[in-house]
């Protein structure tokens, strides 16, 4: 076997795979160097050694004793491959001959050319040298000219640049002086216009106050001189031209009367015959709200009203009304009724609900919250209300799981979209399973104040209710991440939790993966939420509302990661109240990434300073901002006044602001509608004066805890701010009954009035005021210690802890009441 080049490929592969050439080479080398006496035993021993060490570690000198190994350099892997013909080299004798021939010819050619150039002398060496010298001189002259030209070019370009710079500088100086002159004139003109505007506003303010006070004096004089005419409403200030609205088109009259309450419509019907006709328009009686007059209206009036307008009534509201069974039966007369609210009605029974259900099969909205209904009513609902879409059973604790099973009887409540089970702690897991079997089309689910709600309840509910898009679980502390995981089969768009200590960052990772279309997340007071949650939410493209109030573990890092995602361009409402680790860095990021932000709450963010306010101004879409409990000062308010579009501002417990800052802000915020400066005891009447001058469209004002406010300031407010709906003057100890009289005359749209701890306001005046407003809170006691001042408005010497109201402190909360009873026509 001289060569295996032409052998079978299988045989060649066998030799290579089993290292036969390497084994032969190692054994032969060992025999040649060692020369053993018994070669066969030596070979046997060496083969065993090779088998123990493995063929992969085989070397050519492995069988040689270390002391006898030759110290030579290894040149190739093995020589035996050539010997056996296993090498894949393509070298052949013919190729070797060609290579030697080419190499010999190349050497001959190279050496011959060198010899020829050396031996044969140059014939025209002088001419060639002269030609080379001429070329060298030309080249040297060219280089010299080129060098000189470059110097000249650089010099001229430098001169041109210098002249251009001088010209530009002169132009800039001229332009600058021109701008300075223009800006100086503009500034002087602007100051004149601003001063003129201020003078006009002050003059207008003084004229309106003068007119207001003169009108009051005339009324007092008229009351003293002509008591009979004053009682009948005659005014000596000048006769007002009469306007008979009955001459207006019927459509306009309906729009006007649509803004009136039931009591006002009844009063209008007692004016004259034409007004009676106007109040008889059928469109005015499509919706009747008896809850607004529940303290004065009688059952007889309700029955007569429903009998007369039974074909027109579409919506009825009996919230909080104490009615007899006969009165509730009269609801069944309204065959076209679509919405019924009987919440908080203590006299509502299963019997009355049976009469209502038999007569009103078309009800779509039914509110039975906080009533005494039982399983009997639950059995009636699917039988008669087959088109029911909205159902509220909040705080109805007398029905059981069996009652929920009745919802599947007959045609069932399969069209139900909204369900409220807040406070129904008697419902177990089986009850939620019954709901899932009966109401598979539920889309909006509200379960508040239910400590018995667990993840198993949610799992039982979503087994068949896969269309849920909105969940509200406030006061459900036992819901954990597993509950949200169970909702993965639903396409959630709104999630609302509050006060939950089992929700973690894992919940938000799950939201990111399973709810890409979610647009509302409300996770307030969830202590285990950290910056990792915000990072998970950054990829949500549809999120518009995010409320993480009281999540104290959130900081600048998490908010920055949240705003780096696509969610920042869509977010409209962001509530980060009590996220105490946030600072101005977050505000900088907000101004850069949130062009559509409308509502921002940074309440009690202690690290927020006036520097951050400068970046809040750059959020041009912002309409409402809450900076309560921060360290904002007058300088920050002056900066904030440049925004011009703010409609709501809260500055409660901001102790660094004074009257100067509020005045500066009011001058630049003419469209302001809501202002909260409560518990800022350093503020005085000057802020009320600024509001009366600049912010006449104000609808809500809170000055609770401001003991320096007096009646004169409230007189200005009443004279100018006629659109005021909500007013909180709790703790304003200097206010008296005169203030209430001013409010009655000027703020006729006032609906909510809070005046706790107003010791100078009498109970009689408060009682009279309660007949005008819809809701009133009154307490004549001294302000508690946590207000920070005593009954005279003097600051307390010692800092007391905030304590709740004492047992003997009486808070009187009243709703709209009236002095006389009126029957509904």
């Amino acid at each position: 076997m001289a060569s295996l080049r032409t052998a079978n490929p299988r045989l060649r592969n066998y030799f290579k795979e089993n290292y036969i050439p390497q084994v032969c080479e190692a054994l032969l080398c060992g025999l040649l160097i060692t020369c053993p006496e018994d070669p066969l035993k030596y070979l046997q021993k060496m083969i065993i050694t090779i088998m123990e060490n493995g063929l992969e570690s085989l070397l050519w000198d492995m069988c040689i004793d270390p002391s006898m190994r030759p110290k030579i350099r290894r040149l190739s892997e093995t020589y035996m491959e050539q010997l056996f013909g296993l090498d894949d080299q393509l070298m052949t004798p013919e190729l070797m001959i060609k290579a030697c021939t080419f190499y010999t010819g190349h050497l001959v050619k190279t050496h011959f050319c060198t010899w020829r150039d050396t031996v044969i002398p140059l014939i025209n060496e002088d001419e060639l040298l002269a030609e080379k010298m001429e070329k060298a001189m030309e080249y040297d002259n060219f280089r010299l000219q080129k060098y000189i030209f470059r110097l000249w070019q650089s010099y001229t370009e430098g001169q041109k640049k210098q002249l251009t710079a001088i010209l530009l500088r002169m132009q800039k100086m001229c332009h600058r002086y021109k701008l300075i002159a223009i800006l100086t004139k503009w500034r002087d003109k602007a100051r004149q216009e601003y001063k003129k505007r201020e003078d006009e506003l002050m003059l207008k303010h003084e004229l309106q106050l003068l007119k207001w006070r003169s009108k009051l004096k005339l009324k007092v004089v008229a009351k003293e001189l002509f008591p009979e005419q004053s009682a009948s409403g005659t005014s000596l200030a000048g006769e007002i031209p009469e306007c008979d609205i009955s001459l207006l088109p019927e459509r306009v009259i309906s729009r006007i009367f649509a803004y009136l309450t039931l009591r006002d419509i009844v009063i209008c019907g007692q004016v004259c015959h034409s007004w009676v006709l106007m109040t008889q328009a059928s469109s005015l009686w499509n919706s009747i709200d008896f809850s607004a007059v529940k303290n004065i209206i009688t059952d007889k009036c309700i029955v007569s009203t429903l009998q007369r307008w039974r074909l027109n009534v579409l919506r009825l509201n009996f919230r909080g009304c104490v009615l007899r069974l006969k009165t509730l039966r009269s609801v069944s007369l309204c065959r076209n009724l679509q919405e019924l609210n009987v919440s908080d009605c203590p006299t509502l029974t299963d019997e009355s609900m049976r009469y209502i259900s038999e007569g009103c099969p078309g009800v779509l909205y039914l509110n039975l919250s906080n009533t005494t209904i039982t399983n009997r009513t639950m059995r009636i609902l699917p039988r008669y209300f087959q088109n029911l879409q909205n159902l509220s059973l909040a705080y109805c604790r007398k029905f059981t799981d069996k009652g929920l099973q009745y919802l599947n009887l007959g045609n069932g409540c399969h069209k139900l979209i909204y369900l409220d089970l807040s406070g129904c702690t008697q419902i177990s897991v089986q009850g939620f399973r019954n709901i899932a079997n009966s109401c598979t089309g539920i889309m909006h689910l509200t379960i508040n104040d239910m400590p018995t709600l667990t993840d198993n309840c949610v799992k039982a509910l979503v087994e068949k209710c896969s269309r849920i898009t909105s969940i509200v679980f406030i006061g459900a502390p036992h819901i954990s991440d597993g509950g949200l995981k169970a909702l993965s089969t639903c396409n959630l768009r709104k999630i609302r939790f509050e006060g939950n200590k089992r929700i973690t960052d894992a919940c938000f990772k799950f939201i990111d993966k399973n709810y890409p279309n979610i647009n509302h997340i409300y996770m307030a007071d969830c202590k285990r939420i950290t910056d990792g949650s915000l990072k998970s939410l950054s990829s949500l493209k549809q999120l518009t509302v995010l409320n993480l109030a009281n999540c104290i573990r959130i900081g600048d890092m998490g908010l920055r990661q949240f705003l780096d995602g696509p969610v920042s361009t869509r977010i409209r409402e962001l509530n980060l109240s009590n996220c105490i680790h946030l600072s101005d860095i977050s505000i900088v990021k907000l101004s850069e990434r949130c062009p559509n932000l409308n509502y921002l709450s940074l309440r009690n963010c202690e690290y927020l300073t006036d520097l951050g306010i400068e970046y809040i101004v750059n959020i041009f879409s912002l309409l409402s901002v809450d900076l309560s409990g921060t360290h904002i000062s007058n300088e920050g308010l002056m900066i904030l006044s440049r925004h011009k579009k703010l409609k709501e501002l809260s500055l409660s417990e901001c102790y660094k602001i004074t009257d100067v800052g509020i005045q500066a802000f009011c001058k630049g915020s003419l469209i302001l509608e809501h202002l909260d400066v409560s518990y800022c005891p350093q503020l005085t009447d000057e802020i009320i004066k600024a509001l009366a001058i600049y912010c006449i469209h104000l609808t809500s004002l809170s000055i609770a805890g401001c003991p320096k406010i007096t009646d004169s300031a409230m007189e200005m407010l009443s004279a100018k701010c006629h659109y005021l709906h909500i007013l909180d003057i709790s703790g304003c100890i200097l206010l008296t009954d005169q203030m209430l009289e001013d409010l009655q005359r000027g703020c006729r749209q006032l609906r909510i009035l809070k005046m706790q701890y107003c010791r100078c306001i009498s109970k009689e005046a408060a009682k009279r005021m309660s007949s005008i407003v819809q809701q009133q809170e009154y307490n004549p006691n001294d302000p508690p210690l946590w207000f920070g001042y005593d009954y005279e408005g003097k600051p307390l010497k010692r800092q007391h802890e905030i304590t709740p109201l004492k047992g003997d402190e009486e808070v009187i909360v009243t709703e709209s009441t009236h002095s006389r009873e009126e029957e509904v026509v």
Side-chain angles (χ1 to χ4, degrees):
M1 186 173 57
S3 176
L4 294 176
R5 296 185 186 277
T6 60
N8 190 358
R10 181 179 179 184
L11 181 61
R12 289 169 58 87
N13 291 334
Y14 174 78
F15 268 71
K16 287 184 178 182
E17 291 175 357
N18 293 282
Y19 297 89
I20 291 176
Q22 289 85 345
V23 172
C24 295
E25 182 181 21
L27 295 175
L28 287 175
C29 290
L31 289 173
L32 293 174
I33 300 301
T34 308
C35 297
E37 294 180 358
D38 191 350
L40 295 178
K41 289 184 178 181
Y42 175 80
L43 290 174
Q44 181 180 4
K45 181 179 178 182
M46 290 298 105
I47 291 172
I48 292 171
T49 304
I50 292 171
M51 292 176 64
E52 292 176 353
N53 293 330
L55 296 175
E56 291 78 4
S57 61
L58 184 63
L59 299 174
W60 68 273
D61 57 351
M62 187 175 180
C63 298
I64 303 174
D65 187 80
S67 60
M68 302 177 65
R69 286 178 184 173
K71 298 181 180 181
I72 61 176
R73 185 178 180 182
R74 183 178 177 184
L75 298 177
S76 65
E77 290 292 332
T78 175
Y79 296 99
M80 296 302 293
E81 290 186 355
Q82 299 179 2
L83 192 62
F84 283 98
L86 294 175
D87 57 333
D88 295 330
Q89 297 180 4
L90 300 178
M91 181 61 66
T92 60
E94 293 80 6
L95 293 176
M96 182 62 72
I97 292 171
K98 288 183 179 180
C100 292
T101 304
F102 176 78
Y103 182 70
T104 304
H106 179 71
L107 290 177
V108 171
K109 183 178 179 180
T110 303
H111 289 84
F112 175 77
C113 292
T114 304
W115 173 80
R116 185 187 61 183
D117 295 338
T118 304
V119 173
I120 300 175
L122 294 175
I123 300 174
N124 300 323
E125 185 175 358
D126 295 336
E127 295 180 359
L128 293 174
L129 183 61
E131 184 178 355
K132 288 181 179 181
M133 287 297 295
E134 184 178 358
K135 290 182 179 181
M137 292 176 65
E138 290 179 358
Y139 179 73
D140 186 62
N141 291 331
F142 175 75
R143 286 185 62 188
L144 184 62
Q145 291 176 2
K146 186 176 180 180
Y147 174 72
I148 295 172
F149 176 77
R150 285 181 178 176
L151 290 177
W152 172 81
Q153 184 183 16
S154 61
Y155 173 77
T156 54
E157 288 180 354
Q159 290 294 321
K160 287 182 179 180
K161 288 182 179 179
Q162 189 175 1
L163 289 174
T164 304
I166 293 172
L167 289 175
L168 287 176
R169 188 175 179 184
M170 292 176 66
Q171 290 177 359
K172 287 182 179 180
M173 291 178 66
C174 293
H175 186 63
R176 181 186 176 190
Y177 287 124
K178 187 176 180 180
L179 286 178
I180 290 174
I182 294 173
L183 288 175
T184 303
K185 292 182 180 179
W186 173 83
R187 183 185 60 188
D188 297 338
K189 184 68 175 177
R191 286 179 177 177
Q192 292 177 3
E193 292 294 330
Y194 181 77
K195 190 175 183 304
K196 182 179 178 182
R197 173 176 165 270
E198 289 290 323
D199 294 340
E200 289 178 355
L201 282 175
M202 291 299 297
L203 181 60
K204 185 178 178 181
H205 172 69
E206 296 296 336
L207 289 175
Q208 288 179 347
L209 276 182
L210 184 61
K211 184 177 179 181
W212 166 268
R213 289 167 180 167
S214 62
K215 188 183 294 186
L216 292 181
K217 290 180 180 179
L218 286 175
K219 287 184 178 180
V220 173
V221 172
K223 188 175 181 180
E224 293 177 354
L225 297 179
F226 307 101
E228 295 180 357
Q229 293 182 2
S230 62
S232 61
T234 305
S235 175
L236 298 179
E239 295 184 359
I240 300 176
E242 295 183 357
C243 178
D244 189 0
I245 66 171
S246 62
L247 301 178
L248 296 174
E250 184 178 354
R251 180 176 57 86
V252 177
I253 295 174
S254 300
R255 292 289 298 272
I256 293 173
F257 279 88
Y259 290 96
L260 302 180
T261 62
L262 178 62
R263 174 180 177 269
D264 296 332
I265 293 176
V266 173
I267 294 174
C268 291
Q270 298 174 355
V271 175
C272 60
H273 181 70
S274 62
W275 282 57
V276 171
L277 295 177
M278 287 188 293
T279 58
Q280 304 305 312
S282 59
S283 59
L284 297 178
W285 301 95
N286 289 338
S287 178
I288 304 178
D289 185 5
F290 290 108
S291 63
V293 291
K294 62 184 178 181
N295 295 325
I296 61 172
I297 198 167
T298 62
D299 292 70
K300 182 180 179 181
C301 300
I302 296 176
V303 173
S304 62
T305 303
L306 294 180
Q307 287 178 347
R308 181 170 185 176
W309 304 104
R310 59 186 180 276
L311 298 179
N312 302 98
V313 176
L314 301 178
R315 293 174 291 277
L316 279 178
N317 186 356
F318 289 104
R319 181 177 180 270
C321 296
V322 182
L323 305 175
R324 294 183 300 176
L325 178 60
K326 181 180 178 181
T327 306
L328 291 172
R329 285 183 181 181
S330 62
V331 178
S332 61
L333 300 174
C334 306
R335 298 289 180 176
N336 298 321
L337 188 65
Q338 296 181 2
E339 297 182 11
L340 177 61
N341 186 349
V342 288
S343 59
D344 299 319
C345 291
T347 57
L348 182 70
T349 61
D350 297 330
E351 186 69 17
S352 56
M353 277 303 303
R354 183 175 66 84
Y355 284 105
I356 294 173
S357 59
E358 291 176 353
C360 308
V363 172
L364 302 177
Y365 171 88
L366 181 60
N367 191 341
L368 301 174
S369 59
N370 201 18
T371 58
T372 58
I373 62 167
T374 64
N375 291 343
R376 292 178 58 191
T377 298
M378 303 298 292
R379 196 168 186 172
I380 293 173
L381 294 180
R383 182 179 302 175
Y384 296 100
F385 298 140
Q386 297 176 4
N387 296 320
L388 191 64
Q389 296 181 0
N390 289 37
L391 176 61
S392 177
L393 300 172
Y395 306 101
C396 297
R397 296 193 173 97
K398 290 194 175 182
F399 70 89
T400 62
D401 294 342
K402 187 177 181 180
L404 295 173
Q405 190 175 3
Y406 291 150
L407 296 178
N408 202 23
L409 296 177
N411 293 329
C413 295
H414 300 303
K415 294 184 180 180
L416 200 64
I417 297 176
Y418 173 84
L419 180 62
D420 188 354
L421 297 174
S422 301
C424 299
T425 54
Q426 76 277 12
I427 302 177
S428 64
V429 177
Q430 183 60 38
F432 284 98
R433 193 171 288 112
N434 295 337
I435 295 174
N437 294 329
S438 308
C439 312
T440 57
I442 293 177
M443 298 179 64
H444 308 285
L445 182 65
T446 301
I447 308 179
N448 298 332
D449 299 330
M450 196 164 179
T452 58
L453 188 68
T454 61
D455 293 341
N456 293 330
C457 299
V458 178
K459 293 177 182 177
L461 184 64
V462 299
E463 285 179 357
K464 297 183 179 179
C465 299
S466 59
R467 297 178 59 188
I468 296 177
T469 60
S470 171
I471 58 171
V472 181
F473 293 155
I474 297 177
H478 296 293
I479 297 293
S480 64
D481 299 336
L484 282 177
K485 188 175 182 180
L487 291 164
S488 59
T489 57
C490 308
N491 186 18
L492 288 183
R493 295 180 180 272
K494 178 180 178 180
I495 297 178
R496 186 167 183 175
F497 283 86
E498 185 174 350
N500 192 301
K501 296 183 180 179
R502 302 185 66 183
I503 296 293
T504 64
D505 293 341
C507 161
F508 289 88
K509 293 180 181 179
F510 193 78
I511 290 175
D512 177 27
K513 295 179 181 178
N514 295 274
Y515 309 127
N517 297 323
I518 195 166
N519 54 36
H520 185 117
I521 296 179
Y522 184 100
M523 292 285 188
D525 200 18
C526 296
K527 305 298 184 184
R528 299 183 65 181
I529 293 177
T530 65
D531 290 342
S533 300
L534 289 174
K535 184 179 180 180
S536 302
L537 297 178
S538 61
S539 60
L540 298 176
K541 297 181 180 180
Q542 304 298 328
L543 188 64
T544 57
V545 178
L546 179 63
N547 190 328
L548 297 176
N550 298 326
C551 297
I552 58 176
R553 300 177 67 180
I554 290 177
D556 292 329
M557 181 62 69
L559 187 60
R560 184 178 65 183
Q561 293 174 342
F562 172 75
L563 296 176
D564 284 336
V567 67
S568 59
T569 58
R570 299 271 300 182
I571 198 75
R572 294 184 180 275
E573 297 184 18
L574 186 60
N575 191 335
L576 299 171
S577 300
N578 295 318
C579 296
I580 56 177
H581 298 295
L582 296 179
S583 64
D584 294 338
I585 300 175
S586 300
I587 309 303
V588 174
K589 199 69 176 180
L590 280 173
S591 64
E592 295 174 353
R593 301 285 298 172
C594 299
N596 297 315
L597 189 64
N598 298 139
Y599 173 83
L600 175 63
S601 178
L602 298 171
R603 179 184 288 265
N604 296 330
C605 294
E606 299 176 354
Y607 295 108
L608 181 66
T609 64
D610 293 337
L611 181 62
I613 303 300
E614 295 184 6
Y615 293 95
I616 290 180
V617 175
N618 297 330
I619 309 176
F620 302 110
S621 60
L622 203 61
L623 300 177
S624 174
V625 61
D626 189 349
L627 301 173
S628 301
T630 61
H631 295 294
I632 183 174
S633 64
N634 292 337
E635 183 180 354
L637 282 178
M638 292 177 183
I639 296 171
L640 195 62
S641 65
R642 300 201 301 262
H643 193 281
K644 307 294 184 182
K645 294 183 180 180
L646 281 181
K647 292 185 178 181
E648 299 180 5
L649 178 65
S650 295
L651 298 170
S652 179
E653 299 183 21
C654 293
Y655 299 106
K656 289 188 176 181
I657 63 173
T658 62
D659 296 338
V660 177
I662 299 294
Q663 288 173 338
F665 175 77
C666 292
K667 289 180 181 179
S669 304
L670 302 181
I671 63 172
L672 188 68
E673 296 178 0
H674 169 82
L675 179 64
D676 183 1
V677 289
S678 56
Y679 307 106
C680 297
Q682 69 275 15
L683 301 180
T684 65
D685 289 348
E686 295 298 323
I687 64 165
I688 306 297
K689 182 179 180 181
L691 290 173
I693 296 174
Y694 304 104
C695 306
I696 59 175
H697 300 289
L698 200 67
T699 60
S700 176
L701 175 64
S702 177
I703 51 175
C706 298
K708 298 180 181 179
I709 304 297
T710 62
D711 288 342
S712 60
M714 298 306 296
E715 181 187 12
M716 288 187 288
L717 186 72
S718 303
K720 298 294 292 294
C721 300
H722 302 300
Y723 304 102
L724 200 63
H725 292 165
I726 303 172
L727 179 61
D728 188 356
I729 53 174
S730 301
C732 296
I733 56 175
L734 299 180
L735 298 180
T736 64
D737 296 347
Q738 181 62 40
M739 179 271 305
L740 296 182
E741 295 181 4
D742 294 334
L743 289 177
Q744 292 178 23
R745 297 188 184 97
C747 302
R748 297 182 179 274
Q749 299 187 28
L750 191 64
R751 296 292 180 265
I752 300 175
L753 177 60
K754 299 179 182 180
M755 46 184 181
Q756 298 187 36
Y757 313 115
C758 295
R759 57 194 306 270
C760 294
I761 298 178
S762 63
K763 292 183 179 180
E764 292 77 12
K767 187 175 181 180
R768 289 194 300 269
M769 195 67 187
S770 64
S771 62
I772 299 175
V773 298
Q774 292 181 356
Q775 181 179 343
Q776 176 176 294
E777 296 180 9
Y778 171 67
N779 189 338
N781 296 330
D782 294 335
L785 298 178
W786 53 270
F787 268 63
Y789 54 86
D790 57 13
Y791 65 94
E792 295 181 351
K794 297 179 181 179
L796 298 178
K797 295 182 179 180
R798 296 181 60 184
Q799 192 71 22
H800 297 276
E801 295 182 355
I802 297 177
T803 57
L805 295 176
K806 297 180 181 178
D808 57 346
E809 291 181 348
E810 179 186 4
V811 178
I812 303 175
V813 181
T814 59
E815 294 185 356
S816 178
T817 57
H818 308 283
S819 58
R820 61 187 181 89
E821 294 185 357
E822 298 167 354
E823 295 186 357
V824 180
V825 179

